[in-house]
Amino acid sequence: MNYLLLVDLVTIPKDDPVAFTFFTGYMAMFAASVFFFFERGSVSEKWKTSLLVSGLITMIAAVHYYYMRDYYASTGSNPTALRYIDWTLTVPLMCVEFYLLTKAAGAKIGLLWKLIVASAFMLVMGYIGEAFVPLNADGSPAEGATSHSVLYGILSTLGYLYILYTAWFGEVKKLGDASGNPTVVKGIRILAWFVLVGWAIYPIGYMCMPGGWLNTSLGWTSSNVDLFYNIADAINKIGFGLVIYSVAKSDSPSKVSA
Ligand SMILES: *C/C=C(C)/C=C/C=C(C)/C=C/C1=C(C)CCCC1(C)C
């Protein structure tokens, strides 16, 4: 299929911040993956899996950004399905990072499953909220659009709150403390901040879709959905990886023989 490129590549940075963040997001995710994969060699054995997972998160995102970037450039609309496929793979991997951090302190596989189920619920509700919002033929919100996005937004938030609670007060926090390893305690605390602040950017993007509160009240159009999601992804996926990297580095002897 031949798509017409709607975005003028030369004027992207100036005229189309959304396209710009798709391009830079792709490059940043790609570069971060190379970094995490290479740095795996510089940390001790027990942290290698965590760094591998960090690299997989940004690599999976890079591949999706490659396609989302083109999708957006050719159609000018939100690559909602690709976005949620990306998240469905990468958010559970972020849960794996929490599990790996607390494993030494006795985390059971059940903890991982609870986090994965909560994140899957969060994402399925979010997808229904976005992909099935009632629209008119011209793309404007139809009758019931706002109540649809509010309902599924609230349901999705329940899954989010569960993960937030687990990281701040629940099992992840408690096991981290029990590890007796100050580096791990600090790492979990920073990741909990990412979940509180970094992850909270996503619902802001969600509310920019047709019928969403920020769309109807402030007139923030649906292209802002991707702007917020792209910024949030860069912060969270690369940020999470860097936190894991710094935990792994501080908890490894400074010279690891090959
Ligand atoms: C790498 C991708 C990440 C960390 C994605 C995280 C996504 C969320 C935390 C999404 C949350 C949402 C809500 C809490 C309510 C509205 C719908 C969502 C799915 C945007």
Side-chain angles (χ1 to χ4, degrees):
M1 202 179 309
N2 277 314
Y3 286 116
L4 169 70
L5 268 192
L6 294 178
V7 176
D8 177 349
L9 297 184
V10 177
T11 57
I12 279 173
K14 183 156 67 64
D15 296 338
D16 195 336
V18 181
F20 177 70
T21 55
F22 271 121
F23 274 73
T24 46
Y26 166 58
M27 214 47 244
M29 297 290 181
F30 184 92
S33 313
V34 173
F35 178 78
F36 295 134
F37 289 143
F38 273 89
E39 284 299 316
R40 237 184 119 247
S42 74
V43 302
S44 56
E45 206 57 45
K46 65 170 174 174
W47 289 114
K48 288 198 193 303
T49 313
S50 301
L51 253 76
L52 176 66
V53 173
S54 294
L56 289 177
I57 291 170
T58 49
M59 192 189 82
I60 292 169
V63 175
H64 284 83
Y65 268 75
Y66 178 82
Y67 289 104
M68 289 197 288
R69 191 189 66 154
D70 287 355
Y71 182 101
Y72 178 81
S74 0
T75 66
S77 51
N78 310 103
T80 309
L82 283 167
R83 178 76 73 183
Y84 276 86
I85 296 170
D86 172 342
W87 289 353
T88 310
L89 298 168
T90 50
V91 178
L93 285 174
M94 294 168 110
C95 299
V96 169
E97 297 285 28
F98 275 124
Y99 170 69
L100 291 174
L101 275 173
T102 48
K103 210 173 145 212
K108 304 258 158 42
I109 195 82
L111 166 64
L112 177 58
W113 281 113
K114 282 183 262 179
L115 290 173
I116 289 180
V117 168
S119 59
F121 180 79
M122 172 181 92
L123 295 174
V124 169
M125 293 303 123
Y127 183 69
I128 296 173
E130 273 189 64
F132 301 110
V133 63
L135 296 176
N136 296 315
D138 65 354
S140 62
E143 180 83 31
T146 301
S147 55
H148 174 91
S149 63
V150 170
L151 171 66
Y152 287 98
I154 290 172
L155 288 172
S156 172
T157 303
L158 297 178
Y160 168 61
L161 290 177
Y162 180 83
I163 302 172
L164 190 62
Y165 175 84
T166 309
W168 275 92
F169 311 104
E171 254 181 280
V172 166
K173 154 83 174 143
K174 287 181 193 148
L175 284 164
D177 291 348
S179 74
N181 182 339
T183 311
V184 169
V185 174
K186 195 170 149 218
I188 288 178
R189 169 129 223 141
I190 303 174
L191 291 184
W193 274 107
F194 269 94
V195 176
L196 179 66
V197 180
W199 289 27
I201 303 169
Y202 296 99
I204 298 176
Y206 178 90
M207 288 188 275
C208 295
M209 71 168 143
W213 281 345
L214 294 174
N215 190 304
T216 47
S217 65
L218 300 177
W220 290 5
T221 56
S222 56
S223 65
N224 289 296
V225 175
D226 284 306
L227 188 61
F228 282 110
Y229 288 174
N230 290 352
I231 293 169
D233 272 357
I235 293 173
N236 291 301
K237 291 180 165 65
I238 300 172
F240 241 66
L242 288 173
V243 173
I244 301 289
Y245 169 71
S246 84
V247 169
K249 270 302 232 203
S250 348
D251 200 43
S252 302
S254 49
K255 277 248 157 48
V256 177
S257 49

